[in-house]
Amino acid sequence: MNGKCLCSAVEFQLDEPIPSLYQCHCSLCRKLTGSASDTAMLISRDQFRWVRGLDKISSYRTNTGYRSDFCSSCGCTVPHLMSKTLYFWVPAGLIDGELHSQVVAHLYVDSKAPWDTIDETGARFAEMPEMEALTRLLHENSEKIESDLV
């Protein structure tokens, strides 16, 4: 499965199985996306490959450690290796073609915007759950979704 930024300068590949998605409703993710939440996946480092454009990636980090990587040509948010983990954060909207993943978790629901409506699907977390628990939830649910599609 391939993904790329808006101008196609930054491109990457993901190997199957593709994990389920989560939505983060924190104020930083709202600012990053300009919408109610950030929809993304956490994919193992050994399932992720850059195709091109590493030289086009710029980074911004807040004093609290929140990180945003983006294409220096079009400004589009792009994946990055999360610090202290073996996972890449991958925005779901960058994936080309049909993505058969579902949102199975909502993070920071206690700080969502008052106008944000979260549907009934998926686990809800007041804040950020432990990384191990979140990655297990995303990967376990992807296996169930794939078997339902067969």
Side-chain angles (χ1 to χ4, degrees), residues 14 23 38 44 55 57 84 111 113 131 137:
L14 307 176
Q23 289 183 324
D38 163 42
S44 175
D55 60 323
I57 297 175
K84 301 178 186 170
S111 64
M131 185 59 71
L137 174 66

Side-chain angles (χ1 to χ4, degrees), residues 3-150:
K4 59 182 172 266
C5 67
L6 190 59
C7 71
S8 300
V10 177
E11 188 173 352
F12 58 92
Q13 288 181 331
L14 307 176
D15 292 336
E16 303 280 343
I18 302 300
S20 295
L21 306 173
Y22 72 87
Q23 289 183 324
C24 183
H25 301 267
C26 77
S27 62
L28 294 171
C29 284
R30 287 196 307 272
K31 287 190 181 294
L32 178 73
T33 63
S35 64
S37 65
D38 163 42
T39 304
M41 66 182 78
L42 300 176
I43 194 152
S44 175
R45 182 168 47 185
D46 61 351
Q47 292 177 264
F48 183 95
R49 278 182 313 289
W50 292 110
V51 174
R52 68 171 167 247
L54 275 173
D55 60 323
K56 296 286 188 188
I57 297 175
S58 295
S59 293
Y60 173 76
R61 190 180 305 260
T62 67
N63 59 359
T64 62
Y66 183 88
R67 176 179 172 181
S68 173
D69 286 9
F70 53 94
C71 173
S72 60
S73 295
C74 66
C76 184
T77 303
V78 297
H80 67 265
L81 184 62
M82 297 177 64
S83 61
K84 301 178 186 170
T85 74
L86 299 175
Y87 292 93
F88 272 86
W89 170 82
V90 179
L94 300 183
I95 304 301
D96 293 333
E98 201 167 323
L99 183 60
H100 293 288
S101 295
Q102 296 174 345
V103 174
V104 298
H106 295 274
L107 314 182
Y108 287 97
V109 296
D110 283 0
S111 64
K112 72 176 187 62
W115 43 264
D116 182 5
T117 303
I118 300 174
D119 66 24
E120 298 300 317
T121 61
R124 293 175 182 226
F125 298 92
E127 294 182 349
M128 180 69 177
E130 292 290 325
M131 185 59 71
E132 184 178 321
L134 178 59
T135 55
R136 186 174 45 250
L137 174 66
L138 298 178
H139 290 268
E140 285 174 356
N141 276 286
S142 71
E143 293 167 8
K144 180 187 178 324
I145 292 166
E146 284 179 27
S147 68
D148 289 348
L149 290 173
V150 177

